[in-house]
Amino acid sequence: LVDDPNWTLVDGKLYLTLNEPTAMQGGQLQDASGNALTETAVTDVPGITDGNYYVVNVNSSNQANLKYQPKDGIISGQVGITAVVVGQEANANTTITTNKVGMIDVQPVNSGYDFSVANANGSENASAQALPDKSNIIEVSVTDNGLIDTDGSEEIGSVLLKDLPNGFLVYAGADAASATLADNIGADGNTNTWLLGVGQVPGYIGILPPANWSGTLSDLAIVVNSKEGALDKVLGVEHSFDLAVE
C-alpha cells in the first residue's frame, strides 16, 4: 500500500484472478510451498466484484509469495494476473478498492523425448556381411512415444547409437528391408558413435557383430536430441541397453 503503515488491507485478504491463453488454460496457482490454491466463489464482499477468486491471506509485511505452475510443465507464454485489494486508511471510515494487472512470463524449456530401449540378443554370425533380408542383423527394439512437448514448438534433431566397439556395424531405416548402413560419425579408438537419422527415430535399428563373435556388450546407448524452437541449447535424452550374442 502506498501509504503503509497508515493503510491496512480489509480482512487482510488479496483477491487474484488468472487470465490464461487458451493453450495454457489449466495452469495452477500455488503458495510459496508449492501447494495448489483453489478458486473460491466470492459474493457480497464490499469493494470486490462478485466472482471466482484465489483468495490469499496476506502476511504482516503485506506480502504474498506465490508460484505459477504451467499445465503439464511444458507450456510457455504469458499469463495475465489481476490482484484486487480493499484498503482502509487509519482513522478513516471509507475503503478504497485497488486493482493491479501484471504478467507472468513462463519461459520455454527443452522438454525432451520419450522413448525406451530393450536389451537385444541374437546368434553368432559366420560372416560379417549383412544378408539381403537382414536376418543375421540383431534388431534393437525401441519404444517410441515421441516428443514430450506436443504443442509443435520442439523438434527432433539427431538420433545416435553410441559406445559400440570397433568391428560392429549398424543399420537403420523404416524397416529391416529398407535399412541401410548407418554413418559412423565418431570414434575414440575403441568405440564408435553411429548416426541413425535426423528428425525422427527410425522404425528399425539393427547391429551386425563381427564374424564369429559372441559375448555381451553392456551400456550401449541410444540418444535422441531435441530442442525448443526458441532456444539454442539442445537436450539429449539417453537410454542404455545391453547386446548379447550367443
Side-chain angles (χ1 to χ4, degrees), residues 7 23 60 62 79-80 88 94 127 148 161 176 186 206 208:
W7 283 81
S60 58
N62 286 333
V79 174
Q88 186 173 33
T94 59
S127 170
I148 294 173
L161 193 157
L208 179 63

Side-chain angles (χ1 to χ4, degrees), residues 9-246:
L9 296 183
V10 175
D11 295 329
K13 297 186 182 300
L14 173 67
Y15 299 84
L16 300 169
T17 57
L18 292 177
N19 181 17
E20 297 173 304
T22 300
M24 300 183 71
Q25 288 178 358
Q28 189 179 83
L29 196 63
Q30 302 175 345
D31 64 19
S33 299
N35 300 309
L37 302 180
T38 303
E39 280 189 309
T40 302
V42 174
T43 58
D44 301 326
V45 175
I48 302 295
T49 302
D50 289 354
N52 293 326
Y53 296 87
Y54 297 95
V55 182
V56 179
N57 293 315
V58 179
N59 62 30
S60 58
S61 60
N62 286 333
Q63 291 183 342
N65 296 315
L66 305 174
K67 301 178 181 179
Y68 176 77
Q69 176 63 46
K71 177 184 67 173
D72 300 327
I74 60 175
I75 301 295
S76 61
Q78 286 191 318
V79 174
I81 184 168
T82 300
V84 184
V85 295
V86 180
Q88 186 173 33
E89 190 172 14
N91 302 317
N93 294 322
T94 59
T95 60
I96 295 178
T97 300
T98 302
N99 293 267
K100 293 293 183 180
V101 178
M103 301 299 296
I104 302 171
D105 285 317
V106 180
Q107 298 298 320
V109 296
N110 289 320
S111 301
Y113 202 84
D114 183 12
F115 73 102
S116 60
V117 186
N119 291 330
N121 59 81
S123 300
E124 181 180 321
N125 280 315
S127 170
Q129 299 296 317
L131 297 176
D133 63 359
K134 311 297 195 311
S135 60
N136 62 333
I137 296 176
I138 302 171
E139 183 175 2
V140 179
S141 179
V142 175
T143 300
D144 182 4
N145 298 313
L147 288 163
I148 294 173
D149 187 346
T150 58
D151 67 359
S153 63
E154 295 193 20
E155 61 182 9
I156 307 169
S158 58
V159 183
L160 311 173
L161 193 157
K162 55 182 285 192
D163 300 328
L164 192 65
N166 295 335
F168 289 76
L169 300 178
V170 177
Y171 287 77
D175 51 34
S178 63
T180 58
L181 185 64
D183 292 328
N184 187 331
I185 61 171
D188 62 7
N190 296 309
T191 64
N192 302 270
T193 297
W194 296 79
L195 177 64
L196 303 177
V198 177
Q200 65 178 6
V201 176
Y204 176 87
I205 301 168
I207 297 175
L208 179 63
N212 303 312
W213 186 92
S214 64
T216 300
L217 297 176
S218 299
D219 296 327
L220 305 179
I222 289 179
V223 181
V224 178
N225 293 304
S226 63
K227 69 180 291 293
E228 169 74 39
L231 302 176
D232 294 327
K233 186 176 180 180
V234 173
L235 175 65
V237 177
E238 177 176 320
H239 289 298
S240 298
F241 67 99
D242 298 339
L243 172 69
V245 179
E246 299 178 350

